[in-house]
Amino acid sequence: MTFHAAENRYETMPYRRIGRSGLKLPAVSLGLWHNFGDDKSFDVQREILRRAFDLGVTHFDLANNYGPPAGSAETNFGRHLKDDFAPYRDELIISTKAGYDMWPGPYGEWGSRKYLLASLDQSLNRMGLDYVDIFYSHRPDPETPMEETMGALDTAVRSGRALYAGISSYTPAQTLEAARILKEMGTPLLIHQPSYSMLNRWSENGEPNLYEVLDTVGAGSIAFSPLAQGMLTDRYLNGVPADSRAAKEHFLHEHDLTEDKMGRVRALNDIAASRGQSLAQMAIAWILRDQLKGSPVTSALVGASSVAQLENNVAAIKNVGFTDAELTAIDEFAVESEINRWAQK
């Protein structure tokens, strides 16, 4: 059946400007990390993407290695784009990334010019696109000079294969350096994508912290894993389901779910209930709170394995305000929990 987007799709979703750029993102964006590979139903993928767009989610975030297998999320998204979203391409923000292991040999990961630009060309081919809106360096490379990595992003933009440049999981100091180099090249840093949640607060630490750095350089941020790989949902409140991510040991491990951590998660769940929200909704709303020191988070990047899960997550936008008393209560339990899988070693 031909897809016709809902006419009211822009009536409820807030859109936030990214730093000092002219671009805006929806408050909630959809990441295609786990649920758009070949191991997932193509029809369910279609339902999620269609419903997301109808709810005002205009930003779809990918990476070269999303699947499984690696690359399949981009290939599948390309099919959905051709079938459903081609008429709406100019209403979409599509991003992809390169930095993690993608193909064999010494040129298949990290931050060299050869890898990044080859990967971008492969991503465009898989999705059937002439350009992506944002191209990210997915992680800093400890061995490749920053000038080379940022130079590749600059080339991606100047060649028309990307409209904007971004970085992910860079420290505050690395972010300052990356922004400086890009500015000198004439391609400003648009956005940083850090992991961030009530249980993973590394980006708030440091003098200056990441958000203060982004405010200084005029960039925005989009937080990935705002639900702490599922810990900040009702899924693990009463144990570990056999079909859960923790049971399958995929990024979230069963040993992460200690009684101390889960006791704090249950306390956060009680606070969410007092706000009339699910725990997941409050976790997303907290990411988007205005009281964050420094540059506010532009968007919360969520995943979804079903339309119902997507709708529950997007409903967080109905209440993103917090009283001082609520934030104080949350801070008692929302503490660093050593679950940042993307921290630099």
Side-chain angles (χ1 to χ4, degrees):
M1 181 180 295
T2 302
F3 173 60
H4 298 287
E7 293 184 359
N8 65 346
R9 59 189 177 276
Y10 294 116
E11 293 183 4
T12 58
M13 176 65 70
Y15 297 88
R16 297 178 167 203
R17 190 171 301 281
I18 308 175
R20 292 196 289 269
S21 77
L23 191 64
K24 294 181 179 180
L25 290 183
V28 176
S29 298
L30 182 63
L32 278 64
W33 180 17
H34 289 301
N35 300 305
F36 290 82
D38 290 345
D39 61 333
K40 303 297 182 181
S41 164
F42 191 78
D43 289 339
V44 172
Q45 294 176 25
R46 178 188 294 114
E47 292 171 2
I48 294 170
L49 290 168
R50 287 181 172 187
R51 183 60 177 146
F53 190 54
D54 281 346
L55 290 172
V57 177
T58 54
H59 177 31
F60 298 137
D61 179 79
L62 299 104
N64 58 354
N65 62 337
Y66 288 178
S72 61
E74 289 182 328
T75 299
N76 290 331
F77 179 73
R79 293 173 59 193
H80 294 298
L81 184 65
K82 180 180 179 181
D83 293 345
D84 289 339
F85 298 103
Y88 306 102
R89 174 63 182 98
D90 291 337
E91 297 182 41
L92 298 176
I93 301 296
I94 300 170
S95 61
T96 195
K97 301 179 282 291
Y100 286 94
D101 188 24
M102 185 59 191
W103 61 80
Y107 320 119
E109 64 175 327
W110 293 108
S112 72
R113 179 180 182 84
K114 179 174 176 61
Y115 167 64
L116 292 176
L117 294 178
S119 179
L120 176 56
D121 288 341
Q122 291 181 21
S123 292
L124 293 174
N125 184 62
R126 282 190 288 268
M127 292 187 282
L129 291 172
D130 295 324
Y131 71 94
V132 291
D133 296 276
I134 306 170
F135 181 51
Y136 288 90
S137 166
H138 207 166
R139 60 172 172 171
D141 184 339
E143 296 183 353
T144 299
M146 186 82 75
E147 289 81 1
E148 179 173 342
T149 301
M150 295 306 107
L153 297 184
D154 175 68
T155 296
V157 172
R158 291 184 182 276
S159 66
R161 288 123 96 186
L163 300 185
Y164 299 93
I167 58 176
S168 180
S169 298
Y170 280 52
T171 66
Q174 290 169 333
T175 299
L176 269 175
E177 180 68 358
R180 180 191 65 78
I181 294 168
L182 283 170
K183 183 178 180 180
E184 290 178 355
M185 293 178 174
T187 297
L189 175 65
L190 175 79
I191 195 166
H192 188 299
Q193 186 175 130
S195 61
Y196 183 47
S197 73
M198 290 193 290
L199 301 179
N200 177 17
R201 303 182 67 166
W202 71 270
S203 52
E204 296 179 6
N205 300 329
E207 292 293 338
N209 69 31
L210 179 63
Y211 300 108
E212 292 167 329
V213 167
L214 294 175
D215 190 42
T216 297
V217 303
S221 70
I222 177 169
F224 77 88
S225 202
L227 303 183
Q229 297 95 65
M231 286 181 68
L232 292 171
T233 70
D234 60 7
R235 192 152 177 75
Y236 302 107
L237 294 177
N238 300 303
V240 181
D243 63 343
S244 67
R245 187 177 298 173
K248 297 175 182 178
E249 298 285 300
H250 187 71
F251 271 90
L252 180 64
H253 304 290
E254 194 164 352
H255 63 70
D256 291 319
L257 306 177
T258 64
E259 183 52 39
D260 174 65
K261 291 177 185 176
M262 295 313 301
R264 289 189 276 108
V265 169
R266 285 188 282 271
L268 290 169
N269 185 60
D270 290 341
I271 297 172
S274 71
R275 287 170 48 85
Q277 291 181 310
S278 69
L279 176 56
Q281 287 168 346
M282 186 180 78
I284 293 167
W286 182 86
I287 289 290
L288 298 169
R289 70 197 186 282
D290 291 334
Q291 295 92 339
L292 184 62
K293 185 179 181 183
S295 179
V297 174
T298 312
S299 184
L301 184 61
V302 304
S305 59
S306 67
V307 169
Q309 187 180 59
L310 170 75
E311 291 174 339
N312 180 69
N313 289 343
V314 172
I317 65 175
K318 296 178 181 178
N319 183 13
V320 298
F322 290 84
T323 66
D324 290 341
E326 285 175 327
L327 289 174
T328 298
I330 288 170
D331 277 342
E332 181 179 350
F333 306 105
V335 299
E336 179 60 42
S337 299
E338 299 181 350
I339 59 169
N340 183 10
R341 306 289 184 234
W342 305 272
Q344 296 178 44
K345 305 301 182 183

